Amino acid sequence: MLQDHIKFQEYIDKCVKAFEDSTLIKISFVNPYIKSDLLSVNGRSVDLKKGKHLQLVYRHKTKDITKNYPSDQIKIVINQMILEQFSQSVLYTAEADYHFSIFNKSKVKLTTKSASLKSSITNHNRQKNSWINTKDPVWNLLGVCDENGEVYKTKHPKFRQITKYGELIEPHLKAFKKSEKIAIADVGCGKAYLSFALYQKLKDKDIAQDFTGVEIRKDLVEKLNGVCKNLHLENIRFKTGTIEDAQFAKLDILVALHACDTATDDAIKLGIESNAKLIVCSPCCHKQVRKALTTHAMTKNITSHGILKERYAEILTDSIRALVLEAHGYSTKVVEFISTEHTSKNLLIIAEKKKSAKDIDQSIMEEIKVLMKDFGISSHYLVESLGLVDGVANNGRE
Ligand SMILES: C[S@@+](CC[C@H](N)C(=O)[O-])C[C@H]1O[C@@H](n2cnc3c(N)ncnc32)[C@H](O)[C@@H]1O
């Protein structure tokens, strides 16, 4: 029998109220009465299809078990948790933290401390508000989310990246009319997270589309086509093949994220030659230009350190890619899409076709020539593969 039942009731009421008015950030139960492999329980509020629930994660020595409770069961569950299982509980709300404990079997202590957890927006809610609808079953089939649309911890960095890509691409979708069916290709699509995010977004916007993912790995392609079939998704397919060999009768948007080294150049070439209205690529490693840097009096002090040479080559590679796109009538911007804390491969080149440039802008080609000459670049794969080499290559000074 508790000595101060009122305090106990006060704590239970606070928990229920915090859940009901959505100020509950977290609730924890620790210090079990009986030693077992159940160590603690942590809870938070989640929005499920069936409405708001209290989600409790039961932490055992070797496993975690998650259970969701509807609002009418919360009082009973918290009661049981405190009276039968754990002698301490903390309720974290947006306003304050409430520490409740039972000691000497019957004495009760309830203290209020200033709020230690800042945000009342749960991770779940953040995902709900993000660019991607994580509740779409595709994310569960792809292994990104659980069946409640909760992004798996290990997928958080990739998820953040894809969300950011989506946010950066979205303003450029305005250029497409709803009346026209747009042809999109994600080349070197890998597990196709961005493909599906973009496909979903266009579907939400009622923009008719024809989506193709190109990937060299047959196993991935089979899996992705299986997901499409399973969900009866229309106008989306994945093909096994290389970016170099990919061909499209019509291509409006070309996406290539983290295609290795010159595969990014192949993707840009594909976009330019297909006259894509929008080309979005995020370069990966930059080996080709690095190897093509000649020893040069002006730059030798930059290139004498491996890491600086690598960064220098990256900047030169992408500057020339942007210029090549400009020369072909694209308005190009190069942006950093996510903090370097997550990945160092964090540049995004976004090129929107502004002019139906039949002829390549020769003044820009001159600028490329000068840049290559002055910075000692003997060759640039994109420049060469587009046949723009005349007077450009082999200009590096020894
Ligand atoms: C680093 S992953 C990036 C995947 C995805 N685009 C992303 O950003 O999450 C690069 C993918 O491109 C594929 N790939 C590499 N070279 C390729 C090529 N030449 N043609 C087609 N796919 C290629 C790889 O198999 C891999 O799945």
Side-chain angles (χ1 to χ4, degrees):
M1 185 69 184
L2 296 179
Q3 282 186 10
D4 193 342
H5 205 268
I6 293 174
K7 266 195 193 137
F8 169 67
Q9 208 47 58
E10 187 187 335
Y11 182 68
I12 300 285
D13 290 346
K14 278 187 191 306
C15 295
V16 174
K17 186 171 182 300
F19 172 79
E20 282 171 355
D21 60 18
S22 299
T23 53
L24 183 149
I25 299 172
K26 183 181 165 185
I27 185 162
S28 68
F29 302 92
V30 292
N31 215 4
Y33 296 116
I34 301 162
K35 275 204 173 154
S36 72
D37 77 332
L38 176 62
L39 305 175
S40 64
V41 174
N42 285 314
R44 65 197 183 101
S45 163
V46 289
D47 287 318
L48 306 179
K49 269 189 194 148
K50 348 173 228 189
K52 194 159 74 161
H53 281 58
L54 181 69
Q55 183 171 81
L56 294 184
V57 179
Y58 295 75
R59 297 211 177 282
H60 294 259
K61 272 182 195 149
T62 51
K63 60 177 186 271
D64 285 352
I65 296 173
T66 302
K67 289 185 185 169
N68 297 317
Y69 298 94
S71 48
D72 59 353
Q73 286 181 24
I74 286 168
K75 201 168 184 170
I76 303 165
V77 171
I78 299 175
N79 250 296
Q80 271 174 356
M81 207 67 84
I82 294 174
L83 294 177
E84 294 168 21
Q85 292 187 281
F86 296 95
S87 65
Q88 287 179 344
S89 173
V90 184
L91 167 69
Y92 299 88
T93 74
E95 290 94 31
D97 296 351
Y98 301 97
H99 292 249
F100 179 85
S101 55
I102 296 178
F103 56 100
N104 293 342
K105 293 194 177 152
S106 61
K107 290 188 180 160
V108 170
K109 192 174 167 195
L110 176 60
T111 49
T112 305
K113 296 187 180 174
S114 52
S116 61
L117 300 181
K118 274 183 194 151
S119 171
S120 65
I121 301 167
T122 63
N123 195 29
H124 201 86
N125 291 337
R126 266 203 300 277
Q127 285 153 23
K128 204 175 64 168
N129 296 333
S130 95
W131 197 78
I132 298 169
N133 174 15
T134 58
K135 296 233 172 110
D136 189 301
V138 74
W139 300 108
N140 183 238
L141 287 181
L142 290 173
V144 175
C145 296
D146 66 17
E147 60 281 5
N148 299 320
E150 180 97 7
V151 179
Y152 292 122
K153 245 188 194 154
T154 52
K155 296 289 179 188
H156 277 188
K158 195 70 196 170
F159 185 80
R160 267 197 297 272
Q161 223 183 67
I162 298 300
T163 302
K164 194 70 198 165
Y165 282 133
E167 286 167 2
L168 286 165
I169 293 173
E170 185 164 12
H172 299 274
L173 301 178
K174 284 188 196 129
F176 297 94
K177 292 189 198 98
K178 278 194 178 170
S179 53
E180 62 182 271
K181 191 173 199 170
I182 58 174
I184 312 166
D186 181 359
V187 294
C189 64
K191 293 179 183 161
Y193 299 157
L194 187 79
S195 309
F196 284 108
L198 201 51
Y199 173 82
Q200 261 183 352
K201 184 53 84 183
L202 290 166
K203 225 171 142 185
D204 288 351
K205 285 180 179 287
D206 264 340
I207 298 176
Q209 59 183 312
D210 188 61
F211 206 116
T212 307
V214 175
E215 166 58 49
I216 204 164
R217 279 180 53 189
K218 195 166 175 258
D219 57 330
L220 277 181
V221 169
E222 279 168 4
K223 186 183 166 198
L224 296 168
N225 282 327
V227 169
C228 296
K229 196 172 163 199
N230 201 332
L231 297 174
H232 307 288
L233 301 180
E234 289 173 355
N235 303 321
I236 180 165
R237 72 208 62 80
F238 293 88
K239 291 184 175 170
T240 309
T242 63
I243 303 172
E244 316 69 297
D245 295 335
Q247 282 181 352
F248 294 92
K250 179 179 185 279
L251 190 57
D252 297 304
I253 302 179
L254 184 281
V255 179
L257 304 181
H258 298 144
C260 307
D261 197 20
T262 54
T264 293
D265 297 303
D266 288 320
I268 296 174
K269 177 173 179 267
L270 175 65
I272 290 175
E273 290 184 339
S274 312
N275 207 19
K277 295 187 186 83
L278 182 65
I279 298 176
V280 181
C281 59
S282 169
C284 189
C285 43
H286 297 70
K287 296 190 195 106
Q288 183 268 319
V289 165
R290 189 168 187 262
K291 286 180 197 149
L293 286 175
T294 55
T295 311
H296 191 290
M298 195 175 81
T299 62
K300 73 174 191 308
N301 292 325
I302 301 174
T303 57
S304 57
H305 299 280
I307 181 67
L308 296 180
K309 188 173 182 181
E310 195 177 311
R311 291 188 186 168
Y312 176 72
E314 281 177 25
I315 291 171
L316 291 173
T317 309
D318 293 331
S319 305
I320 293 172
R321 285 171 173 161
L323 281 170
V324 168
L325 282 158
E326 296 273 349
H328 287 83
Y330 287 84
S331 159
T332 306
K333 55 183 184 187
V334 181
V335 292
E336 193 176 56
F337 67 87
I338 201 160
S339 155
T340 42
E341 143 200 358
H342 303 299
T343 172
S344 59
K345 312 287 175 211
N346 67 345
L347 284 192
L348 195 64
I349 301 176
I350 305 176
E352 216 177 309
K353 188 101 185 183
K354 291 292 178 197
K355 288 184 250 167
S356 59
K358 275 196 200 115
D359 299 319
I360 297 159
D361 186 326
Q362 288 309 323
S363 65
I364 300 178
M365 286 316 301
E366 270 315 304
E367 285 180 38
I368 295 175
K369 272 188 210 176
V370 172
L371 196 149
M372 288 181 67
K373 188 175 177 198
D374 285 354
F375 287 88
I377 307 165
S378 65
S379 73
H380 188 293
Y381 182 89
L382 179 61
V383 173
E384 287 179 10
S385 61
L386 279 167
L388 306 170
V389 284
D390 189 31
V392 174
N394 304 317
N395 272 329
R397 285 182 244 148
E398 287 300 320

